[in-house]
Amino acid sequence: MSTTASAKNGTWRNWGGNVAARPARQVEPASVEELAAAVRKAAEDGLKVKAVGTGHSFTSIAATDGVLIRPQLLTGIRDIDRDAMTVTVEAGTPLKRLNAVLAREGLSLTNMGDIMEQTVSGATSTGTHGTGRESASIAAQIKALELVTADGSVLSCSEKGTEEERAVFAAARIGLGALGIVTAITFAVEPLFLLTAREEPMPFERVLAEFDQLWAENEHFEFYWFPHTGNTNTKRNNRSAGPEQPVGQLAGWFEDEFLSNGVFQVAQWVGRAAPAAIPAIAQVSSKALSARTYTDIPYKVFTSPRRVRFVEMEYAVPRAALADTLRELKAMVDRSGLRVSFPVEVRTAPADDITLSTASGRDSAYIAVHMFRGTPYQAYFTAAERIFTAHEGRPHWGKVHTRDAEYFAGAYPRFGEFTALRDRLDPERLFQNDYLRRVLGA
């Protein structure tokens, strides 16, 4: 199976394999006009409409029994404006392709998440992010948006538009598919630059004790903690004058393919078959990665291949609450009898001004917990979620969580602003599905 979601016999499945849907019909529009016509036709037929990218969300945010819009034909670069330093792309363009085109043009996004299989609209609509001291999510780099709304009209919005357009822009950058179907996105870009990555193992308690300093001293800092151990692997990415020193073919293959994907895959299979072996495997895994430094263009440093399938929950907590939250998570795992074979990923983002961004109005730290696909994850995720919500956590919109509209109304100061805009743009709830009913209210 490819890295995208699958659709066989009319059934659509996400990448993680934990969500399936049987839409009444699937449409692949080749133009904005065709997409708008498909939206109008669905409304006439009394069917709901959802757009889906590559299915990298672990929630049912894209699932529908109505019309599923697949944007594979809505791809490519519309415009590169070197005066404004922006690029406008069709919504179905994979981030992988966008990054490659920008690099050829001597340009780059400022920040990226850690994978680039998603479409630009799928990634931004769910709040996909990397890690950064000053640079935030992919959606925070958006300068303008085009979307087809529930009446089939095409709406353009930016921070420079009318009052209504600015309100739409504030919300639609991370719109959850609730306000319309995004057809094009304009991103801010900058001249291509180099990043030097420094990866090194570090004890868990040292990372937490020095976290504020590590965060302050690096443009992009993240780390992975291996449950059942006191070990982490840290990664610092900073701009560099060069020269380019990509990961050597052999060393890079060994670390990224053999250890991170090959051996890791085998370790996951063993752990699934014999959970009692997981703590011992974790000790070995956490010590297998050595310190390394390399320099390359941004997307080759920010992103890495993910061939081991998993299910994920991620919460944003206030950055100041990170150490307490993580210590509680470690204590819970240590005393629980749970067997957790996947490392816990920790990243940060500065506050932004996007209505339902997980970093909306506050400096944030992200804690992501994973389980190998096919292993029971509910007990671990439930216990982790209890800790995250006690620290005012906000769940990633595309990752497993059990929160509802009542919770979000308290977690997001501008929640009412978003739902009021939705009432104006989609009063008949054409873009509704079970997930949006739960997280936004009916």
Side-chain angles (χ1 to χ4, degrees):
M1 193 163 118
S2 72
T3 48
T4 60
S6 66
K8 286 176 186 166
N9 308 324
T11 300
W12 172 84
R13 286 182 200 284
N14 69 335
W15 180 87
N18 66 315
V19 177
R22 285 188 71 85
R25 60 176 180 255
Q26 301 191 34
V27 181
E28 290 189 13
S31 66
V32 176
E33 292 72 29
E34 282 184 23
L35 194 154
V39 167
R40 286 193 292 269
K41 178 83 170 74
E44 284 168 23
D45 295 345
L47 294 171
K48 303 292 187 190
V49 184
K50 294 310 300 175
V52 67
T54 51
H56 266 270
S57 289
F58 300 96
T59 61
S60 53
I61 190 165
T64 185
D65 56 5
V67 178
L68 192 67
I69 304 280
R70 301 177 70 91
Q72 285 95 322
L73 303 178
L74 290 173
T75 61
I77 309 294
R78 275 195 195 178
D79 177 58
I80 293 174
D81 185 334
R82 290 181 186 275
D83 293 329
M85 288 304 280
T86 59
V87 59
T88 301
V89 282
E90 304 279 346
T93 308
L95 283 165
K96 186 163 51 179
R97 194 180 308 171
L98 172 61
N99 279 309
V101 170
L102 288 176
R104 279 204 305 273
E105 295 285 338
L107 300 168
S108 177
L109 293 171
T110 299
N111 202 352
M112 263 293 295
D114 55 9
I115 60 170
M116 53 177 180
E117 308 302 328
Q118 315 100 310
T119 60
V120 293
S121 57
T124 54
S125 294
T126 54
T128 298
H129 61 89
T131 191
R133 187 183 56 205
E134 282 106 19
S135 53
S137 70
I138 304 176
Q141 299 168 69
I142 295 176
K143 288 294 177 189
L145 270 178
E146 177 187 275
L147 64 164
V148 170
T149 56
D151 61 3
S153 61
V154 180
L155 175 64
S156 296
C157 60
S158 73
E159 56 197 348
K160 294 178 176 164
T162 63
E163 190 178 342
E164 172 72 0
E165 286 166 0
R166 289 199 304 275
V168 174
F169 182 70
R173 280 176 286 171
I174 298 179
L176 317 184
L179 305 175
I181 295 178
V182 175
T183 47
I185 299 175
T186 300
F187 291 103
V189 292
E190 57 177 300
L192 192 64
F193 55 95
L194 292 174
L195 281 175
T196 292
R198 180 175 156 207
E199 297 176 10
E200 72 173 310
M202 196 178 284
F204 179 84
E205 279 304 332
R206 185 183 153 198
V207 174
L208 293 193
E210 298 177 12
F211 177 75
D212 288 340
Q213 183 184 347
L214 288 162
W215 172 82
E217 289 175 355
N218 295 284
E219 291 175 65
H220 310 272
F221 177 69
E222 64 187 300
F223 67 94
Y224 293 85
W225 162 58
F226 295 81
H228 312 295
T229 79
N231 307 322
T232 78
N233 198 45
T234 63
K235 184 177 181 184
R236 310 159 210 216
N237 298 331
N238 290 288
R239 292 188 186 222
S240 163
E244 257 181 76
Q245 290 179 307
V247 174
Q249 293 294 170
L250 190 60
W253 178 86
F254 183 72
E255 296 270 338
D256 292 329
E257 292 302 322
F258 186 68
L259 284 179
S260 300
N261 287 303
V263 172
F264 191 53
Q265 175 83 58
V266 174
Q268 296 302 315
W269 285 334
V270 172
R272 185 164 67 187
I278 286 173
I281 293 170
Q283 288 291 345
V284 174
S285 301
S286 68
K287 289 173 180 159
L289 295 169
S290 53
R292 62 174 180 166
T293 301
Y294 51 96
T295 301
D296 213 329
I297 59 174
Y299 80 87
K300 293 185 178 178
V301 174
F302 286 134
T303 68
S304 53
R306 289 279 189 277
R307 305 199 209 290
V308 181
R309 304 263 170 160
F310 53 83
V311 178
E312 181 178 0
M313 167 183 280
E314 181 184 65
Y315 267 75
V317 298
R319 201 180 71 233
L322 173 69
D324 286 347
T325 309
L326 216 48
R327 283 193 182 99
E328 287 172 35
L329 187 68
K330 185 175 187 298
M332 179 274 289
V333 171
D334 289 347
R335 68 169 182 265
S336 68
L338 289 167
R339 292 290 174 258
V340 181
S341 59
F342 247 85
V344 172
E345 185 180 22
V346 180
R347 296 175 288 174
T348 68
D352 65 39
D353 63 349
I354 303 172
T355 317
L356 290 188
S357 164
T358 43
S360 185
R362 74 181 190 195
D363 293 341
S364 299
Y366 293 94
I367 304 173
V369 297
H370 312 69
M371 282 295 254
F372 185 43
R373 188 162 94 170
T375 51
Y377 61 84
Q378 284 83 357
Y380 176 38
F381 284 14
T382 299
E385 190 172 41
R386 202 171 291 134
I387 293 166
F388 299 150
T389 54
H391 290 280
E392 301 179 354
R394 297 168 177 170
H396 188 300
W397 295 107
K399 297 176 187 178
V400 176
H401 68 89
T402 65
R403 302 296 90 188
D404 60 15
E406 186 182 1
Y407 181 87
F408 292 123
Y412 286 96
R414 298 168 66 187
F415 186 75
E417 193 181 309
F418 188 96
T419 53
L421 179 65
R422 181 186 181 219
D423 287 341
R424 292 205 299 280
L425 291 180
D426 187 14
E428 302 299 319
R429 300 291 186 261
L430 183 68
F431 303 116
Q432 174 101 288
N433 65 359
D434 290 342
Y435 180 78
L436 292 184
R437 193 176 289 111
R438 170 162 70 90
V439 301
L440 296 177

